[in-house]
Amino acid sequence: MKKQLVTFFLLISVALFSQVKQPKIGLVLSGGGAKGFAHIGVLKEIDKAGIQLDYIGGTSMGAIVGGLYAAGYSADQIETIVKETDFLSLVRDQLPRSSETFFEKEYGENTMITLPVRKGVIGLPKAISKGQNVLNLLIELFDSLDGNQDFKTLSVPFFCVATDVETGGQVLLEKGSLPLALRASGSFPTLLNPVAIGGKLLVDGGIANNFPISIMKSKGIDIVIGSDVEGKLYKKEKLNSAVSIMSQIMSYQMYNKTKKEKENIDVYIHPDISDFSVVDFDKKDEILKIGIDEAAKFTSVFKELAAKQKVKRKRVPLVLNNDKFLISSIAIDGAENYTRAFVLGKLKLKEGDSVTRREITKKIYLLSATKNYERIEYNLIKKVNNTYLLSFYLNETIENAALKLGVHYDFLYKSSVLANYSQKHLLVNNDKFSVDMILGDNLRYNLNYFVDNGFYISYGFRSRYNHFTSSTKVNPLVSSFPNVNNINLKYTDNTNQFFVQTTFDRKFALGLGTEHKYIKATTATITTNDEVTIIDKSHYFNTFGYLKLDTYDKKHFPTEGYFADLNFKWYMRSTDYNEDFKSFGQAKGTIGFAKTFWDKFTFQMTNEAGFTLENTQSQVFNFYLGGYNQNYINTFTTFYGYDFAELTDKTFTKSEFNFRYALTDTHYAIFIANYARLGDNVFRDIDLFKDVKSGYAIGYTYNSIIGPLEIKYSWSPEAHQNFLLFNLGFWF
């Protein structure tokens, strides 16, 4: 009854007002994160009624929805945009793996925590993401606006509100870049980084003024329609996440401010979405329906308002532009620590290219994946000859160093904690220094220094120290003791490489280099005069080359793509502990692919092979198959059904068939079958089924936040043995 009385008096006031003049009508949309999707229901009713909006204002998600409508999108178009956008990936700045640099694909996907290092002090990230993907989407959506997507190009006057981090005061945004203003207005603390505009550092406008009715009134608007998706303060039982706690803190002042703002409103719409949170982006269909149902209650009010607007301007519709732009020149502003060649090389862009806005966004993914930039903006400026100047503004990050942490456990290396320190432009522009210190039962390190020259040849240095102790069931390493069937092997490797490399399309890497390798292999199982037996203790000096391909969509549990790692190494000289060294060559290659069927079932096949040119006296360079580790070095290779290094010879071929069913997004059931041939030269004949070794594994895997947790049962029918396998965490 109360709602009917309010509606009745609103209709009377509108009727009396309309006898004097045509009312100017404004719309204000509050902030509320995912809850702001409910505003679309109000816009749908406004479209149905035929109301001409003379001004639109909003905060946060309300600003984004209102800005799209002010630009010319209809309510139905905005609804489609919302339904087709993966907001969870958007706010996390998730990029497809194909955007990552080859360096990151090889070395950067084995940690769970990343902390910035500023002037030698470890800090905390400003937010979960930099918000680059949000900005990319906004620039795309406002593509059809003329000029540089400025407020002045909008078909309906528009403003939005942000908050000055320094003072806590509200900042009115109504000129300049519209996408950047909307990005600032929606910078929810802890989710998205603040945005610098006009010398001020801005965050979500909801902190200062979540429902800016008074600003709308100051624009000379007669009747203000307001859609408010604010909820209420959470009870302590629901304050169980950083986002909910931050939202609660922001709400104290917000609700008091909104209460005062509502005193000046004419038509107040308040969808009941108190059961939803600001990050319920996966519940957008439910939120949209609630907004549509609530707005439908105001149909008669909207029709009355529309009827009083006798003179209406034609609203210019806006549609997504998929046209290609011919780029005749490229300007780059803000490049200080990274050269023009680096930037264009990462963008895969050159003068003369024809690209759409969507294609430009994908190219920005490639540059953003380097993690060298706080913000990347661009502008297309049309020339008299109908070509375009593509102008980039780059805001390089001041955080050029980071500390990353990871943990792991397996039966070979035992417990391990990874502390990775990385620093950019350490010595020259475009460089990256990275060192892994692996602490635990087996101390190790991996050091990489790489100078990425984009279009041009890149170069670098790698250093690795690795060691482990393991029991192995056969002893080709100590062939002079034929009666010993099991030895305790202590193995140490120190490898240093200088190399040059070029990459193609972030899929291929081609490299050449020189290497120093020190190997020490001993066993205490066999002793002479109480001294351990030294199998090898030599320095080797080598040259090498490699070709790599990686298009897997994920490093762990890929669902599609191809992988190849082909390398050849020539051992030229050695200090040779056994004084019988002869130069020789060795090749090893891996080729694989993954394909998913019916969204749940993935088949992954991996083929490996290795051979040695010329005979080597030292057995340390034999190929050794067995075990399940994914971080083996040198000539050690995984083979289910056999113990670590149990199978060995000078050449081998191996095929592994991995059948993986996704029980959920993070839980998998796995069956693996692998087959191998080993011999002095398995390539001498074409009998692929001669003396084949086989092994199988079945298990369960959970892709946790710290990396895969895997439990497998493995067996071999011809060896009549089985193993229970376990590992936890990313492999390193």
Side-chain angles (χ1 to χ4, degrees), residues 145-323:
L145 296 179
D146 295 330
N148 62 349
Q149 302 178 325
D150 196 282
F151 278 76
K152 62 186 178 184
T153 62
L154 295 171
S155 60
V156 179
F158 172 77
F159 70 83
C160 61
V161 174
T163 301
D164 187 334
V165 174
E166 191 173 13
T167 66
Q170 76 176 17
V171 177
L172 181 62
L173 300 172
E174 52 186 348
K175 61 181 180 180
S177 168
L178 178 62
L180 192 59
L182 296 179
R183 165 68 183 83
S185 183
S187 295
F188 189 89
T190 71
L191 282 182
L192 300 175
N193 275 5
V195 176
I197 298 180
K200 296 180 179 179
L201 193 62
L202 306 180
V203 293
D204 197 293
I207 299 172
N209 191 348
N210 199 46
F211 203 35
I213 302 296
S214 57
I215 296 177
M216 182 62 76
K217 283 289 188 179
S218 71
K219 301 293 183 182
I221 297 301
D222 302 307
I223 297 176
V224 177
I225 302 170
S227 178
D228 178 16
V229 294
E230 286 184 16
K232 54 189 177 183
L233 293 176
Y234 294 118
K235 298 295 184 182
K236 61 179 180 293
E237 293 79 13
K238 290 191 174 183
L239 296 173
N240 50 18
S241 70
V243 173
S244 64
I245 292 172
M246 181 59 66
S247 178
Q248 183 89 333
I249 294 171
M250 289 173 57
S251 298
Y252 301 146
Q253 176 183 334
M254 181 193 305
Y255 290 163
N256 289 332
K257 178 72 174 177
T258 297
K259 184 177 181 181
K260 294 179 181 178
E261 291 285 336
K262 287 192 291 186
E263 295 174 359
N264 298 315
I265 202 167
D266 298 293
V267 180
Y268 179 63
I269 305 170
H270 189 203
D272 183 10
I273 46 178
S274 55
D275 291 336
F276 300 90
S277 75
V278 295
V279 291
D280 277 337
F281 297 109
D282 57 335
K283 299 176 182 177
K284 52 192 171 186
D285 289 334
E286 301 166 56
I287 295 171
L288 281 165
K289 185 179 186 307
I290 292 173
I292 291 169
D293 291 344
E294 183 64 25
K297 300 174 183 177
F298 293 81
T299 299
S300 57
V301 174
F302 287 168
K303 286 183 177 179
E304 285 291 332
L305 288 173
K308 305 309 175 185
Q309 294 179 313
K310 302 299 182 183
V311 180
K312 297 180 182 178
R313 63 181 177 275
K314 186 176 180 180
R315 191 162 179 264
V316 181
L318 188 68
V319 294
L320 283 173
N321 187 355
N322 294 316
D323 294 342

Side-chain angles (χ1 to χ4, degrees), residues 395-416:
N395 182 6
E396 293 181 358
T397 180
I398 61 174
E399 297 169 353
N400 63 345
L403 177 67
K404 300 179 181 180
L405 303 174
V407 296
H408 184 78
Y409 179 84
D410 64 68
F411 290 157
L412 178 63
Y413 288 102
K414 309 301 180 183
S415 60
S416 304

Side-chain angles (χ1 to χ4, degrees), residues 688-705:
L688 300 179
F689 302 100
K690 180 181 179 181
D691 298 325
V692 172
K693 306 296 183 183
S694 66
Y696 305 89
I698 188 170
Y700 158 81
T701 296
Y702 168 52
N703 193 15
S704 73
I705 191 172

Side-chain angles (χ1 to χ4, degrees), residues 226-507:
S227 178
D228 178 16
V229 294
E230 286 184 16
K232 54 189 177 183
L233 293 176
Y234 294 118
K235 298 295 184 182
K236 61 179 180 293
E237 293 79 13
K238 290 191 174 183
L239 296 173
N240 50 18
S241 70
V243 173
S244 64
I245 292 172
M246 181 59 66
S247 178
Q248 183 89 333
I249 294 171
M250 289 173 57
S251 298
Y252 301 146
Q253 176 183 334
M254 181 193 305
Y255 290 163
N256 289 332
K257 178 72 174 177
T258 297
K259 184 177 181 181
K260 294 179 181 178
E261 291 285 336
K262 287 192 291 186
E263 295 174 359
N264 298 315
I265 202 167
D266 298 293
V267 180
Y268 179 63
I269 305 170
H270 189 203
D272 183 10
I273 46 178
S274 55
D275 291 336
F276 300 90
S277 75
V278 295
V279 291
D280 277 337
F281 297 109
D282 57 335
K283 299 176 182 177
K284 52 192 171 186
D285 289 334
E286 301 166 56
I287 295 171
L288 281 165
K289 185 179 186 307
I290 292 173
I292 291 169
D293 291 344
E294 183 64 25
K297 300 174 183 177
F298 293 81
T299 299
S300 57
V301 174
F302 287 168
K303 286 183 177 179
E304 285 291 332
L305 288 173
K308 305 309 175 185
Q309 294 179 313
K310 302 299 182 183
V311 180
K312 297 180 182 178
R313 63 181 177 275
K314 186 176 180 180
R315 191 162 179 264
V316 181
L318 188 68
V319 294
L320 283 173
N321 187 355
N322 294 316
D323 294 342
K324 285 185 175 289
F325 304 93
L326 176 59
I327 309 302
S328 58
S329 55
I330 302 172
I332 299 174
D333 184 22
E336 296 180 6
N337 295 302
Y338 302 93
T339 63
R340 177 182 174 89
F342 174 89
V343 174
L344 295 180
K346 295 305 173 190
L347 287 168
K348 290 181 7 185
L349 190 66
K350 60 183 183 298
E351 294 173 356
D353 287 348
S354 292
V355 290
T356 65
R357 290 272 189 180
R358 179 93 275 266
E359 289 169 341
I360 294 175
T361 292
K362 290 181 179 179
K363 292 179 181 297
I364 289 177
Y365 286 165
L366 303 177
L367 189 59
S368 180
T370 65
K371 300 179 177 65
N372 296 335
Y373 303 94
E374 284 290 329
R375 191 169 80 223
I376 303 169
E377 298 176 67
Y378 75 92
N379 187 20
L380 284 166
I381 302 172
K382 192 172 184 179
K383 298 182 178 181
V384 292
N385 61 356
N386 291 324
T387 65
Y388 288 81
L389 163 65
L390 178 54
S391 179
F392 286 96
Y393 172 74
L394 309 176
N395 182 6
E396 293 181 358
T397 180
I398 61 174
E399 297 169 353
N400 63 345
L403 177 67
K404 300 179 181 180
L405 303 174
V407 296
H408 184 78
Y409 179 84
D410 64 68
F411 290 157
L412 178 63
Y413 288 102
K414 309 301 180 183
S415 60
S416 304
V417 175
L418 169 64
N420 168 269
Y421 175 79
S422 62
Q423 184 170 339
K424 299 172 182 177
H425 42 88
L426 176 68
L427 301 177
V428 298
N429 286 347
N430 305 350
D431 74 356
K432 181 169 183 176
F433 169 81
S434 174
V435 59
D436 293 340
M437 294 303 301
I438 304 170
L439 312 175
D441 292 306
N442 290 276
L443 296 177
R444 294 171 281 154
Y445 79 76
N446 288 294
L447 183 149
N448 286 278
Y449 178 76
F450 186 58
V451 180
D452 190 337
N453 287 322
F455 283 134
Y456 306 112
I457 297 295
S458 303
Y459 59 92
F461 170 76
R462 304 185 188 107
S463 180
R464 177 186 71 201
Y465 173 77
N466 190 297
H467 79 103
F468 57 82
T469 301
S470 177
S471 175
T472 119
K473 288 190 176 181
V474 293
N475 67 324
L477 294 173
V478 283
S479 54
S480 57
F481 297 90
N483 295 324
V484 179
N485 294 319
N486 190 297
I487 65 169
N488 188 49
L489 173 67
K490 186 174 183 180
Y491 188 94
T492 299
D493 168 274
N494 180 223
T495 299
N496 302 284
Q497 297 179 337
F498 288 95
F499 65 96
V500 293
Q501 175 179 293
T502 186
T503 58
F504 307 92
D505 200 23
R506 300 205 179 192
K507 298 176 182 177

